[in-house]
Amino acid sequence: MDDLKAKYLGQIAEAADEAAIEAIRLAAVGKKGEVALKMRELGKMTPEERQTAGPALNALKDEINSALAAKKAALADAALDERLRSEWLDVTLPARNRRQGTLHPISQAREELTAIFAEMGFSVAEGPRIDTDWYNFDALNIPGHHPARAEMDTFYMHRAEGDNRPPHVLRTHTSPVQIRSMEKMGAPLRVICPGGVYRADYDQTHTPMFHQVEGLALDRDISMANLKWTLEEFVKAFFEVDDVELRFRASHFPFTEPSAEVDIRCSWEGGQLKIGEGDDWLEILGSGMVHPKVIAAGGIDPDVYQGFAFGIGIDRLAMLKYGIPDLRAFFDSDLRWLRHYGFTALDMPNLHGGLSR
Ligand code: PHE
């Protein structure tokens, strides 16, 4: 029995890995291992012999088992030490430089204007970019035969033959969100609805996808004077100036009565766009008192509630604020022009300091 003990403890000491340990375990203390065979021999012994041999065999089995377990643990420790030696990081090395991205000027303009209107008590609403022609036109008092329907250069969604869902369009303005907001929230109401809109149009100041922010304020006694004040306050805050010259031009929209388009004074001299000076005007928004039919389409009683609405071109605002003369640059994949115009996100160019260098 001492031979067995010496043999297996020796083998265990030499074992190089877990597989070797397992082989030794099977050979020594497994069901068909050498110790088990010896145990079977106990039956042939005299009771006296058995009394010494039995406990001795059990002790041997225990000893081999604990030697196996100890060796297994030692091997695992050694493996961990080896990993710790080979896989390490020098945390004192300087970090690699990362190029930092910037917010797109349109995103930045949208965030700024949202903050300004929020301060005036407007909450933010959203609607789908693909909408039914009812929300985009009919509910806004633009019936099927109305010329505005054609004027808006609408993109219609393709319809398969036999598809009798209502016709869908890429919304041509954010005004359908007026209706959705009235339906959802009722009156009194103060919301802005920023988002992308689509028209088949492409030149220096028009792109087929652009952004608007709709504004809608409804209450029992809201007037055109409230509209004018709100827009002036907004424009001053947005452009960070005490005075901006706005021009209210009488206009026509089917969904407002009376209606006004608002332009901002600017100059394009030398290909540079400057706001607040010069002899040019850039139209930035349409507005007016919400038509009673539109209020009714939103499920609100126009005999009780009235209010104003406006739709501002966010891209136009960003062009003016950052002095960018061509709207198409916003949607160009080459963004070096951003740096060219001195635009860095979160580091606001200030108009007095001369963004329009
Ligand atoms: N929806 C109009 C447009 O896209 C703008 C507008 C909005 C006008 C709200 C009046 C009131 O041109």
Side-chain angles (χ1 to χ4, degrees):
M1 214 177 296
D2 284 343
D3 291 350
L4 275 188
K5 176 170 160 180
K7 171 173 148 195
Y8 285 115
L9 291 188
Q11 282 184 10
I12 291 169
E14 303 283 294
D17 54 31
E18 265 201 48
I21 302 252
E22 180 59 10
I24 298 168
R25 190 187 68 76
L26 287 172
V29 295
K31 259 192 208 151
K32 292 181 186 159
E34 232 171 331
V35 175
L37 289 180
K38 283 259 183 265
M39 294 227 179
R40 239 167 273 161
E41 285 169 19
L42 289 174
K44 295 180 223 152
M45 294 180 185
T46 65
E48 292 76 26
E49 283 172 325
R50 209 180 299 146
Q51 229 162 39
T52 49
L57 273 176
N58 273 325
L60 173 62
K61 190 175 168 188
D62 288 348
E63 203 171 343
I64 293 176
N65 271 329
S66 43
L68 285 167
K71 182 67 177 186
K72 210 168 165 176
L75 283 175
D77 281 353
L80 181 61
D81 282 347
E82 177 52 31
R83 271 188 63 196
L84 289 173
R85 227 186 347 269
S86 60
E87 299 172 18
W88 61 281
L89 288 173
D90 184 349
V91 293
T92 65
L93 282 176
R96 269 187 214 120
N97 259 337
R98 284 244 202 150
R99 286 268 220 123
Q100 186 153 17
T102 59
L103 272 187
H104 194 282
I106 292 172
S107 307
Q108 173 138 343
R110 190 192 54 220
E111 280 179 24
E112 288 170 16
L113 68 86
T114 302
I116 295 167
F117 281 116
E119 219 165 287
M120 293 198 254
F122 288 81
S123 56
V124 177
E126 279 183 353
R129 291 188 183 212
I130 300 174
D131 213 338
T132 62
D133 64 350
W134 187 81
Y135 276 107
N136 196 79
F137 294 123
D138 302 81
L140 292 162
N141 193 32
I142 314 175
H145 61 266
H146 198 285
R149 215 134 158 160
E151 271 162 29
M152 282 211 184
D153 302 310
T154 312
F155 289 111
Y156 283 87
M157 301 302 288
H158 174 74
R159 298 177 79 202
E161 222 173 291
D163 184 347
N164 45 21
R165 286 175 299 173
H168 282 66
V169 298
L170 293 181
R171 68 178 179 197
T172 57
H173 49 181
T174 42
S175 301
V177 192
Q178 283 189 35
I179 306 294
R180 292 178 176 279
S181 304
M182 287 189 263
E183 285 176 341
K184 227 177 273 165
M185 294 179 267
L189 181 64
R190 247 186 288 179
V191 282
I192 58 164
C193 329
V197 300
Y198 303 81
R199 288 181 206 175
D201 212 350
Y202 192 65
D203 62 32
Q204 197 179 2
T205 52
H206 297 87
T207 50
M209 195 279 293
F210 59 105
H211 301 83
Q212 290 187 332
V213 57
E214 195 80 6
L216 173 65
L218 289 181
D219 211 329
R220 290 166 192 274
D221 53 6
I222 288 187
S223 75
M224 197 92 183
N226 300 120
L227 167 66
K228 192 154 185 264
W229 180 87
T230 303
L231 290 176
E232 277 170 1
E233 286 306 301
F234 164 70
V235 167
K236 281 191 272 183
F238 184 81
F239 291 108
E240 301 171 60
V241 290
D242 296 329
D243 250 321
V244 175
E245 207 176 335
L246 294 183
R247 183 170 75 173
F248 283 73
R249 261 183 303 112
S251 182
H252 172 77
F253 298 103
F255 32 92
T256 46
E257 181 58 39
S259 305
E261 282 177 288
V262 178
D263 308 329
I264 195 162
R265 186 184 281 285
C266 67
S267 113
W268 297 90
E269 227 165 274
Q272 282 289 355
L273 180 59
K274 291 184 193 173
I275 75 146
E277 53 184 83
D279 300 322
D280 277 317
W281 298 90
L282 188 70
E283 182 194 324
I284 56 165
L285 67 91
S287 64
M289 296 301 290
V290 185
H291 197 290
K293 281 191 182 166
V294 173
I295 296 179
I300 293 171
D301 184 352
D303 289 333
V304 180
Y305 288 100
Q306 60 179 31
F308 64 74
F310 55 80
I312 310 181
I314 299 182
D315 319 69
R316 298 280 178 91
L317 287 181
M319 285 173 82
L320 285 164
K321 183 153 186 173
Y322 308 123
I324 296 160
D326 194 324
L327 182 60
R328 291 168 294 196
F330 282 137
F331 306 106
D332 199 316
S333 57
D334 185 344
L335 292 180
R336 277 172 296 187
W337 64 270
L338 273 178
R339 257 174 277 145
H340 175 73
Y341 288 114
F343 184 92
T344 49
L346 311 175
D347 172 18
M348 287 298 310
N350 132 17
L351 286 167
H352 309 302
L355 185 255
S356 319
R357 271 161 304 211

